[in-house]
Amino acid sequence: MNFKSLKKSLLLFVLSSSVITGLAQSKTTSIYHDKWIDFNKNGKKDVFEDPQQTVEARVSDLLSQMNVDEKTCQMATLYGYHRVLKDQLPTPEWKNEIWKDGIANIDEHLNSLPFNPEAKSEYSFPFSKHADAINQVQKWFIEQTRLGIPVDFTNEGIHGLNHDRATPLPSPINIGSTWDKSMVRTAGDIVGREAKALGYTNVYAPILDVSRDPRWGRVVETYGEDPFLIAELGKQMTLGIQENGVASTIKHFAVYSMPKGGRDGSVRTDPHITPRELHELYLYPFRRVIQEAKPLGVMSSYNDWNGMPVTGSAYFLTELLRKQYGFTGYVVSDSEAVEYLFTKHHVAKDVEDAVRLAIEAGLNVRTNFSPPETYILPLRNLIKSGKVSMETLNSRVADVLRVKFKLGLFDQPYVNDPKLSDKKVHTQADDDFALQLNKESMVLLKNEPYKNEQQPILPLDKNKVKSILITGPLATETNYELSRYGPSNNPVTSVLDGIKNEVGSKVKITYAKGCNVVDATWPESEIIPTPLTNEEQKEIDNAVAEAKLVDVVIAVVGEDEKRVGEGLSRSGLDLPGRQRQLLQALYATGKPIIMVMVNGQPLTINWENRYLTAILEAWFPGAQGGKAIAQTLFGEYNPGGKLPMTFPKSVGQIELNFPFKKGSQLDQPGPKVYGKTRLNGPLYPFGYGLSYTSFEFKNLKINPSQSFNQGDISIYVDVTNTGKLKGDEVVQLYISDEQSSLTTYDSVLRGFERVSLSPNETKTVEFKLKPNDLAIYDKDMNFVVEPGMFKVKIGNSSQDIKLTKELEIKNN
């Protein structure tokens, strides 16, 4: 070891040994006093250092003490270890870096993602070691910068905290399929609790994008296609995260999820959305969650709308977010969103001009996988030249400081007791919850009797079925159970292993892969069919031979993480590769086939729906996905999930989704009128999902049935389990505006409750219909409730309506 390396190692040892892990221990350092910290090290308690002062007074005082270098440093993100930051812990060289004057936030520091092997850190696990390391980094910023402004440590968390061995939750599309608000609230609480214990203070979640085009790659990361469902679940996730004293940063604001043609990757531009749809559909979840859950963060997207790149638009970042919605947190850019103003959208002449546009629009913090000085130095030039005013700079920095004060970073900047982190992160109770969330996300799409049997094939009876073939390319695959935006390095259970563990020695299990997820020519094979290779035919023949020897075939098919996700999109939605040929060959054996779908977006499974005996939609479950699927197939759990997206029959029907404008998705006339020229209707509608039991709805009541729109309207309905098994039903409330000044949606979702019922049990479900639930944007874009008749509808899908009654709104 040379002298320089030895010196660096000794310094790291000194820093490590002197870390303060709580206020009591830190009193030995001169700036740490009873109930306050002398951040600026001037020997007195300034207003910004006094916890008894108001947040606004503290922000104003701190801002008055900051120079331009310190202010501009509070407007950029430093990506963590081996993204941009080269060091795991502070080094002497940090005094020569731009963050010597502070930094707004550090993202994904020391979280050890397997997708980036170079980012593997010795400090990510045990959890207490990470909390201690974050304390050391925070300690450097507090003690080694002039004003000691604490760092906001950020991380992803859309389906579990994006950290080594944190609790793994299923993908957001699974979470959307639960339609279970209380479970989503608990999921948010777990994410927030684990973030807090590990030293993260800000979580990039939930995603509130509305997925209206199933070809889009990030459908898997959303809660679905309906703005009300997304708003309700997003609100619960946000509240759950923030009740732990951690910021929730909602994303991606706005209109991010409808790029032209559903194209992802480097496109994400030109969404074909009218101004009214913008507000009715795509902004609706953001407005509701901001106003009702008060998230402290918003991530601005890098797409445009109507020619306006969002991150350079004062309309989006100031007029809508702050003036109309009342957002009081800080806006962080999605990666490269600022640079795209110059390189993609070409609304700026150079990078410096792009920085100016973003700042003036309302952006607070730039995030990108490049050193923070690539943003901070152009910003300083803009300040020096007067192209960005000090008033604008102060306003943007104040927003960042305000969040840091609200998070308590100036009162307790450190993880109080790092050792407790080992008991607070990924507990057995968390694992049990994650398994239940996985199970609640299962959606039963088809379940019929096999041949002359009286009962549907599912659930399978371990005492009657003697042998089962498990086949399909996803039977042993587990990569879909992990994600770039979720926990990593957890043990995962494949479907094959889950079934083997479930049946034990009672049932003989055989396995044959059958085919790969895709063939060698895919995706070209979706438009130019090619013959099977000898090896592909051999794989299918082997599966067929095994199928002939068993009682039941379970085929696990769909997509893996290389087919759907960020940067990926599809032009077709059939099962990719040779998977349909495999299923057709298996069907020809005459054996009952249960198809388990692992996929991240709706698929056009028309042949499969017509001919196969049962279909279970599993989406992209979490690490215990194989166990959740097995318990559902064998009746340990009765599926009760509902589809959060419409399944089209063909990509030629897109857009086909819910809600839809009156008449826009009606069937074409029959052959006696103009002739049939296209497919009509969805394969499975929004809100659809079967159960192993049956339910009945009765006694729909509306109180009052006539209103002057001056208060809530109560809607009651009784739901009874009329079958023989305990099960969950999702009671869905839809509203139709029977006449309005403008064309409105055929119906809109305005309430849902997931209810668990034993056989013959009845529960009364109550919905509270608020005035805004009946409002529309009128011709002048005012959000108003128009008097008239409304139809209240109760069902268990958007198409299966069981009860209806009328509600009248009168003129005041």
Side-chain angles (χ1 to χ4, degrees):
M1 181 182 290
N2 58 36
F3 178 75
K4 186 176 181 180
S5 298
L6 178 62
K7 183 178 178 182
K8 183 175 179 179
S9 297
L10 287 171
L11 180 66
L12 287 174
F13 173 78
V14 171
L15 281 168
S16 178
S17 62
S18 64
V19 65
I20 19 185
T21 59
L23 200 55
Q25 292 171 278
S26 63
K27 290 180 181 178
T28 55
T29 308
S30 60
I31 67 170
Y32 301 96
H33 303 280
D34 185 27
K35 297 182 180 179
W36 71 282
I37 301 172
D38 188 9
F39 290 99
N40 62 6
K41 307 156 192 73
N42 65 356
K44 66 176 184 177
K45 185 192 291 186
D46 291 86
V47 171
F48 85 90
E49 297 165 343
D50 185 357
Q52 301 303 313
Q53 299 290 329
T54 66
V55 168
E56 292 308 315
R58 299 176 80 179
V59 168
S60 178
D61 180 57
L62 177 55
L63 199 61
S64 71
Q65 298 188 37
M66 298 171 71
N67 60 39
V68 169
D69 287 355
E70 289 160 338
K71 290 175 181 177
T72 52
C73 278
Q74 291 299 312
M75 298 186 68
T77 293
L78 172 61
Y79 260 107
Y81 176 59
H82 258 295
R83 283 79 167 176
V84 171
L85 192 57
K86 297 295 187 288
D87 309 301
Q88 299 190 69
L89 297 176
T91 70
E93 285 76 17
W94 283 25
K95 277 292 188 178
N96 301 319
E97 299 286 356
I98 200 162
W99 56 85
K100 70 182 184 300
D101 294 311
I103 202 74
N105 53 36
I106 300 179
D107 193 32
E108 295 188 45
H109 190 47
L110 308 176
N111 60 348
S112 284
L113 286 186
F115 307 96
N116 183 0
E118 291 185 346
K120 184 176 181 181
S121 169
E122 63 187 286
Y123 295 103
S124 63
F125 188 83
F127 303 125
S128 55
K129 198 171 183 180
H130 185 269
D132 187 73
I134 291 295
N135 276 353
Q136 293 186 52
V137 177
Q138 188 73 281
K139 181 176 186 287
W140 187 91
F141 280 93
I142 289 172
E143 296 184 3
Q144 300 301 319
T145 63
R146 186 179 75 93
L147 293 177
I149 299 173
V151 172
D152 185 14
F153 288 96
T154 56
N155 198 0
E156 302 284 350
I158 59 173
H159 61 114
L161 189 70
N162 187 25
H163 186 90
D164 184 7
R165 282 166 268 199
T167 301
L169 304 177
S171 68
I173 197 68
N174 288 73
I175 294 173
S177 298
T178 69
W179 293 59
D180 192 327
K181 288 174 282 189
S182 63
M183 289 289 282
V184 176
R185 178 66 170 266
T186 302
D189 179 68
I190 290 173
V191 172
R193 175 193 5 112
E194 294 190 344
K196 186 76 169 180
L198 286 161
Y200 301 110
T201 51
N202 193 325
V203 177
Y204 293 158
I207 288 178
L208 299 181
D209 298 314
V210 181
S211 291
R212 306 286 287 176
D213 190 331
R215 296 170 297 180
W216 184 51
R218 298 192 81 173
V219 167
V220 67
E221 295 176 3
T222 73
Y223 294 147
E225 71 186 9
D226 180 76
F228 184 86
L229 176 67
I230 295 166
E232 290 289 302
L233 299 184
K235 173 183 175 180
Q236 297 305 320
M237 182 65 73
T238 301
L239 290 170
I241 291 171
Q242 293 203 156
E243 64 191 6
N244 291 277
V246 172
S248 166
T249 292
I250 59 178
K251 57 184 188 175
H252 307 85
F253 187 80
V255 214
Y256 173 81
S257 55
M258 277 295 287
K260 184 179 180 181
R263 300 176 183 90
D264 209 65
S266 300
V267 187
R268 301 183 177 104
T269 57
D270 196 22
H272 290 188
I273 295 165
T274 67
R276 187 164 275 101
E277 286 178 320
L278 171 73
H279 292 275
E280 291 171 336
L281 297 177
Y282 298 92
L283 294 178
Y284 179 93
F286 288 95
R287 174 178 62 81
R288 288 249 344 254
V289 172
I290 288 169
Q291 292 177 344
E292 297 173 25
K294 311 294 183 186
L296 292 174
V298 165
M299 180 181 289
S300 69
S301 57
Y302 34 60
N303 57 278
D304 63 343
W305 175 78
N306 197 29
M308 294 185 289
V310 172
T311 297
S313 167
Y315 174 70
F316 281 101
L317 301 190
T318 299
E319 174 62 30
L320 289 177
L321 264 187
R322 298 198 183 275
K323 294 182 180 179
Q324 293 189 27
Y325 300 170
F327 176 66
T328 60
Y330 75 79
V331 180
V332 60
S333 72
D334 203 347
S335 297
E336 215 170 341
V338 173
E339 289 77 4
Y340 279 162
L341 299 176
F342 166 54
T343 62
K344 178 184 289 186
H345 301 295
H346 300 286
V347 296
K349 64 182 180 181
D350 52 29
V351 170
E352 189 171 294
D353 195 35
V355 173
R356 178 189 61 80
L357 282 175
I359 291 296
E360 291 183 342
L363 183 72
N364 299 106
V365 174
R366 191 288 306 252
T367 296
N368 195 9
F369 290 95
S370 62
E373 55 263 33
T374 60
Y375 179 78
I376 293 171
L377 294 180
L379 177 56
R380 289 176 182 173
N381 289 338
L382 290 165
I383 300 296
K384 186 176 181 179
S385 65
K387 293 179 181 178
V388 170
S389 69
M390 284 300 299
E391 181 182 11
T392 299
L393 178 67
N394 288 341
S395 177
R396 303 295 178 264
V397 175
D399 293 331
V400 178
L401 298 178
R402 188 175 296 110
V403 170
K404 292 186 175 186
F405 280 111
K406 287 181 177 180
L407 291 175
L409 287 173
F410 286 88
D411 304 320
Q412 189 171 325
Y414 304 106
V415 178
N416 194 38
D417 188 348
K419 290 183 179 179
L420 285 179
S421 300
D422 294 326
K423 298 180 180 180
K424 292 181 177 180
V425 181
H426 202 159
T427 66
Q428 183 58 53
D430 294 334
D431 246 4
D432 294 343
F433 171 83
L435 176 60
Q436 179 66 20
L437 192 66
N438 272 289
K439 290 190 291 189
E440 287 203 12
S441 72
M442 300 289 130
V443 185
L444 185 62
L445 299 179
K446 183 180 181 183
N447 190 25
E448 293 186 349
Y450 174 64
K451 291 188 174 179
N452 297 322
E453 297 290 333
Q454 297 299 311
Q455 297 297 320
I457 191 169
L458 293 177
L460 294 172
D461 189 337
K462 286 178 277 190
N463 297 313
K464 293 182 179 180
V465 176
K466 302 301 181 184
S467 57
I468 298 174
L469 169 66
I470 312 297
T471 186
L474 292 161
T476 59
E477 185 57 78
T478 57
N479 61 22
Y480 58 84
E481 297 181 329
L482 303 172
S483 166
R484 160 73 179 80
Y485 292 104
S488 55
N489 304 318
N490 285 300
V492 292
T493 304
S494 69
V495 178
L496 176 61
D497 288 339
I499 291 174
K500 284 182 175 180
N501 295 336
E502 179 66 22
V503 302
S505 60
K506 287 186 175 183
V507 182
K508 181 183 177 182
I509 300 295
T510 56
Y511 165 71
K513 185 176 183 180
C515 66
N516 294 322
V517 175
V518 296
D519 62 277
T521 64
W522 188 86
E524 187 183 60
S525 60
E526 292 193 336
I527 58 173
I528 303 178
T530 57
L532 295 170
T533 66
N534 290 336
E535 185 60 32
E536 288 171 338
Q537 188 64 61
K538 183 179 177 181
E539 286 277 0
I540 291 177
D541 290 344
N542 182 46
V544 167
E546 294 292 340
K548 293 176 179 178
L549 304 176
V550 300
D551 297 331
V552 176
V553 176
I554 298 175
V556 189
V557 296
E559 303 167 305
D560 61 3
E561 56 89 23
K562 294 180 180 178
R563 275 9 100 175
V564 60
E566 185 174 12
L568 303 169
S569 62
R570 292 191 59 188
S571 50
L573 292 174
D574 288 347
L575 290 171
R578 310 301 191 184
Q579 294 183 75
R580 180 165 291 166
Q581 286 104 312
L582 170 64
L583 293 171
Q584 289 172 336
L586 292 168
Y587 175 74
T589 66
K591 295 300 175 81
I593 301 172
I594 299 164
M595 182 171 81
V596 174
M597 286 221 301
V598 171
N599 51 300
Q601 57 207 133
L603 300 181
T604 49
I605 51 169
N606 300 285
W607 183 91
E608 296 82 355
N609 177 69
R610 175 167 294 184
Y611 293 107
L612 303 186
T613 313
I615 302 174
L616 179 68
E617 173 62 89
W619 298 111
F620 273 19
Q624 299 182 79
K627 185 175 182 179
I629 291 168
Q631 289 189 355
T632 304
L633 293 174
F634 287 91
E636 294 293 325
Y637 181 76
N638 185 353
K642 302 287 185 178
L643 291 180
M645 289 193 72
T646 302
F647 274 49
K649 294 173 182 174
S650 164
V651 292
Q653 294 175 291
I654 295 171
E655 291 181 23
L656 186 76
N657 39 35
F658 181 89
F660 53 89
K661 291 292 180 69
K662 289 182 172 70
S664 65
Q665 291 182 188
L666 292 176
D667 294 350
Q668 283 190 346
K672 293 183 179 180
V673 185
Y674 299 110
K676 293 183 178 178
T677 58
R678 65 179 292 136
L679 293 165
N680 290 320
L683 183 61
Y684 309 113
F686 172 79
Y688 173 83
L690 305 175
S691 172
Y692 296 154
T693 189
S694 56
F695 301 92
E696 184 178 51
F697 297 87
K698 286 184 177 180
N699 302 325
L700 174 59
K701 299 176 182 177
I702 303 174
N703 184 27
S705 59
Q706 294 180 331
S707 172
F708 292 99
N709 198 35
Q710 295 173 333
D712 294 349
I713 297 168
S714 294
I715 298 172
Y716 305 91
V717 64
D718 293 340
V719 56
T720 302
N721 183 343
T722 55
K724 297 179 180 180
L725 297 174
K726 180 180 180 181
D728 291 1
E729 177 62 295
V730 178
V731 186
Q732 302 168 37
L733 168 66
Y734 296 92
I735 301 293
S736 293
D737 191 343
E738 298 194 299
Q739 183 183 354
S740 52
S741 60
L742 296 170
T743 303
T744 57
Y745 295 96
D746 183 78
S747 65
V748 290
L749 180 69
R750 284 299 179 261
F752 60 90
E753 290 294 334
R754 183 161 179 152
V755 182
S756 184
L757 296 167
S758 298
N760 300 315
E761 183 182 6
T762 298
K763 288 183 180 178
T764 300
V765 176
E766 179 183 4
F767 297 103
K768 288 287 188 182
L769 201 60
K770 299 181 180 299
N772 278 353
D773 290 330
L774 304 175
I776 65 169
Y777 288 92
D778 67 11
K779 62 182 179 62
D780 298 316
M781 291 302 292
N782 296 311
F783 197 54
V784 298
V785 178
E786 296 182 341
M789 300 300 296
F790 294 82
K791 188 172 288 184
V792 175
K793 304 187 287 188
I794 297 291
N796 56 13
S797 84
S798 58
Q799 287 192 352
D800 192 2
I801 301 301
K802 307 294 187 182
L803 302 171
T804 62
K805 272 197 174 182
E806 288 197 327
L807 166 67
E808 183 180 9
I809 301 298
K810 295 184 174 183
N811 277 312
N812 290 324

